[in-house]
Amino acid sequence: TGQEEIIVEDARHIASTTERAEIGLEGRFDVAVIDEMQMVTDEMRGWAWTQALLGLPADIIHLCGDPSIVDIVEDLCASTGDNVTVNYYHRKTDLSLSPPLKNFTKLRRGDAVIAFSRKRIIKLKRLIEEKTDWKCAVVYGALPPETRKKQALLFNDPSSGYDILIASDAIGMGLNLNIGRVIFSAVEKFDGEAFRSLTTSEVKQIGGRAGRYGTEFSEGYVTAMDKNDVKHLK
């Protein structure tokens, strides 16, 4: 991931973040899979998905992502002379927008409250634990990998007592979390230069973590604290 590297001798598969994809190796892969391909449109990180698509030395590349990027992928592959086959798949569990939460007394087990700064995440954890009987695990990008894993395990363990998750958009990148409902505490984030509204792909990527197939939740819900923020999510 850049922060953590686990080397397995004689391994036949490699898994990494897109930024660490094995570009330009002398050998070739039979198959490469690039997840979250809609990130190709991200102003800050899109370069990594473009580089992976154009640079991975693989005979076949599978791209998984939102259908909105099909045209972009087809244009990129047309420039390289590669063939594109598009397959559409349906999410195995339902995901729906629910009314605004308004206050934290309405939290329930399996909720993930989303914030976009370490300061805000810590503040929300303190507020929720002071105002309710819930205990909160926290996950954000700046946490050391081992700490992130431990916090995720606490949240996923129904006997741990940590039934609420406070997290950044890091939950949208490779963590398997037992989330029933995603609650946006805000729909704006600082992108390094200015505050801006979340993009459609960001909302889908984060909100889509609710009710994932294989978790205990057969249906996922997405909402926000404020009714105007719910309108933005819609």
Side-chain angles (χ1 to χ4, degrees):
T1 64
Q3 296 173 300
E4 182 181 35
E5 193 171 84
I6 302 172
I7 306 297
V8 180
E9 190 175 349
D10 297 324
R12 300 184 62 190
H13 299 78
I14 297 173
S16 75
T17 58
T18 306
E19 285 88 347
R20 290 288 304 273
E22 301 281 352
I23 305 297
L25 291 179
E26 292 183 6
R28 291 188 65 83
F29 298 112
D30 294 326
V31 177
V33 179
I34 305 174
D35 199 8
E36 308 291 0
M37 192 61 202
Q38 70 276 0
M39 288 294 291
V40 72
T41 63
D42 187 88
E43 291 185 5
M44 301 295 290
R45 301 179 64 200
W47 64 268
W49 275 260
T50 304
Q51 176 179 268
L53 173 59
L54 299 179
L56 276 169
D59 296 328
I60 299 172
I61 299 179
H62 288 271
L63 310 176
C64 305
D66 189 84
S68 62
I69 47 86
V70 168
D71 289 345
I72 295 173
V73 170
E74 288 180 333
D75 287 344
L76 285 170
C77 291
S79 69
T80 60
D82 290 310
N83 296 319
V84 178
T85 301
V86 180
N87 296 309
Y88 292 94
Y89 302 93
H90 295 287
R91 181 183 164 104
K92 290 188 175 182
T93 57
D94 291 333
L95 183 67
S96 56
L97 193 65
S98 56
L101 201 66
K102 296 184 179 180
N103 64 74
F104 292 122
T105 61
K106 297 179 181 179
L107 288 172
R108 61 192 185 215
R109 188 175 68 84
D111 280 347
V113 181
I114 308 302
F116 297 103
S117 72
R118 176 185 175 277
K119 182 178 180 180
R120 178 64 175 162
I121 288 169
I122 300 305
K123 183 178 180 179
L124 284 172
K125 173 181 169 65
R126 184 170 61 248
L127 176 65
I128 291 169
E129 291 184 339
E130 287 177 353
K131 300 294 184 181
T132 73
D133 294 328
W134 298 110
K135 293 178 70 175
C136 305
V138 297
V139 169
Y140 53 92
L143 280 177
E146 275 304 312
T147 305
R148 278 205 307 270
K149 287 180 183 177
K150 288 178 181 178
Q151 290 292 302
L153 287 171
L154 279 175
F155 176 68
N156 284 341
D157 181 356
S159 65
S160 72
Y162 288 82
D163 293 321
I164 306 296
L165 179 68
I166 315 296
S168 71
D169 44 3
I171 68 164
M173 296 291 180
L175 287 174
N176 293 315
L177 296 163
N178 203 27
I179 297 170
R181 180 171 61 175
V182 167
I183 303 160
F184 287 85
S185 69
V187 292
E188 289 188 341
K189 64 180 290 188
F190 186 71
D191 63 7
E193 295 182 358
F195 282 95
R196 61 166 178 81
S197 297
L198 297 178
T199 64
T200 299
S201 64
E202 287 170 333
V203 170
K204 288 182 176 181
Q205 184 184 50
I206 300 167
R209 296 294 145 179
R212 300 276 283 190
Y213 180 72
T215 71
E216 68 175 89
F217 298 101
S218 58
E219 185 173 358
Y221 299 91
V222 180
T223 189
M225 300 300 297
D226 182 79
K227 65 179 181 180
N228 290 324
D229 288 348
V230 171
K231 289 179 182 178
H232 177 80
L233 299 178
K234 188 175 182 178

